Amino acid sequence: MRKIILAGNWKMFKTQAETLAFVQDFKPELDELPEGREVVLCVPFTDLAILSKSLHGSQVSVGAQNVHWEETGAFTGEISAPMLLEVGVRYVVIGHSERRQLFGETDETVNFRLRAAQKAGLVPILCVGETKLQRDRGEAESVIFQQLKAGLMGVDQASLVIAYEPIWAIGTGDTCATDEANRIIGLIRSRLDNKDVTIQYGGSVKPEIIDEIMAQPEIDGVLVGGASLEAKGFGRIVNYK
Ligand code: PEP
């Protein structure tokens, strides 16, 4: 069965003190969380331990925003799966467009990271999506299919989340039309061996449009950047109607 997963991606925002303040405001938002929804917060490395501790026993899982494929080694600035597991991490975002565009992440390194995450017992959230130029040229589908083909080589689809994140919709306020997001997510599902993979939509998700997004039959959740930084707004998102 497809799981509903509502995830926040804090990117490079919030100190530990700000994280604790968020948790205090966010906990009441979980009081009436409907059954069958999983909430995940993917936060900066320095916030992981404190978030795990302060959310212990709640319905919220902790996620990281990257993982290296080796367990240890001379990889300055990277982090390994055992290090993440030690501080209570369960999910990890891999192949976010900001990593692909700003930090040289490729389909090959995405694939290495996915396989290492799974081998260690972490659940990867694989991000795929096209640029505005690729969409305008009619290449959205082929770009996404290539990202899936290369990224998912040797990956176990039983322990995987995919986020469809059109790059032109990330942080721009320009949300993808919900029926178009639904169409692309349906196409992604058609390419998978396991039809029960949770597939999220991400790109300028806001409390005002969450009900419409989640009403789409192919969309199993959301990956939320900016709107996950504020407890009340993210609370409205996880409690979508
Ligand atoms: C993201 O960071 O994955 C994202 C979708 O950001 P935003 O919601 O701010 O567009």
Side-chain angles (χ1 to χ4, degrees), residues 125-159:
I125 302 175
L126 165 65
C127 299
V128 296
E130 80 286 358
T131 63
K132 179 87 175 70
L133 186 65
Q134 289 164 336
R135 172 159 283 263
D136 290 347
R137 286 183 177 158
E139 296 168 0
E141 291 85 350
S142 60
V143 166
I144 294 164
F145 293 160
Q146 176 54 29
Q147 289 171 338
L148 290 172
K149 189 172 166 213
L152 293 180
M153 238 184 309
V155 168
D156 176 9
Q157 295 186 9
S159 175

Side-chain angles (χ1 to χ4, degrees), residues 40-90:
V40 182
L41 283 170
C42 302
V43 303
F45 296 136
T46 50
D47 297 332
L48 291 169
I50 203 167
L51 191 69
S52 295
K53 204 165 157 204
S54 59
L55 288 173
H56 187 72
S58 77
Q59 305 97 312
V60 184
S61 300
V62 174
Q65 299 171 16
N66 198 9
V67 64
H68 196 265
W69 51 90
E70 296 291 347
E71 290 190 2
T72 55
F75 301 106
T76 303
E78 290 282 336
I79 196 143
S80 73
M83 293 168 183
L84 296 176
L85 288 165
E86 190 182 37
V87 290
V89 170
R90 179 162 159 62

Side-chain angles (χ1 to χ4, degrees), residues 9 11 96 98 165 169-171 202-205 223-226:
N9 170 22
K11 312 190 189 213
H96 191 280
E98 287 154 14
E165 297 211 307
I170 296 180
S204 296
V205 172
L223 182 57
V224 187

Side-chain angles (χ1 to χ4, degrees), residues 74-195:
F75 301 106
T76 303
E78 290 282 336
I79 196 143
S80 73
M83 293 168 183
L84 296 176
L85 288 165
E86 190 182 37
V87 290
V89 170
R90 179 162 159 62
Y91 288 88
V92 58
V93 174
I94 295 179
H96 191 280
S97 60
E98 287 154 14
R99 302 253 13 126
R100 293 180 192 258
Q101 293 194 313
L102 303 175
F103 299 101
E105 194 80 69
T106 64
D107 285 334
E108 189 184 28
T109 56
V110 164
N111 179 256
F112 290 164
R113 293 182 201 277
L114 281 166
R115 289 195 293 177
Q118 286 190 331
K119 192 166 163 223
L122 294 167
V123 180
I125 302 175
L126 165 65
C127 299
V128 296
E130 80 286 358
T131 63
K132 179 87 175 70
L133 186 65
Q134 289 164 336
R135 172 159 283 263
D136 290 347
R137 286 183 177 158
E139 296 168 0
E141 291 85 350
S142 60
V143 166
I144 294 164
F145 293 160
Q146 176 54 29
Q147 289 171 338
L148 290 172
K149 189 172 166 213
L152 293 180
M153 238 184 309
V155 168
D156 176 9
Q157 295 186 9
S159 175
L160 174 71
V161 176
I162 295 175
Y164 167 54
E165 297 211 307
I167 296 168
W168 47 271
I170 296 180
T172 58
D174 192 9
T175 320
C176 183
T178 51
D179 54 350
E180 175 59 6
N182 189 66
R183 184 184 75 83
I184 296 277
I185 288 175
L187 285 176
I188 292 173
R189 196 179 306 286
S190 73
R191 293 278 163 147
L192 301 177
D193 298 328
N194 176 10
K195 306 298 176 203

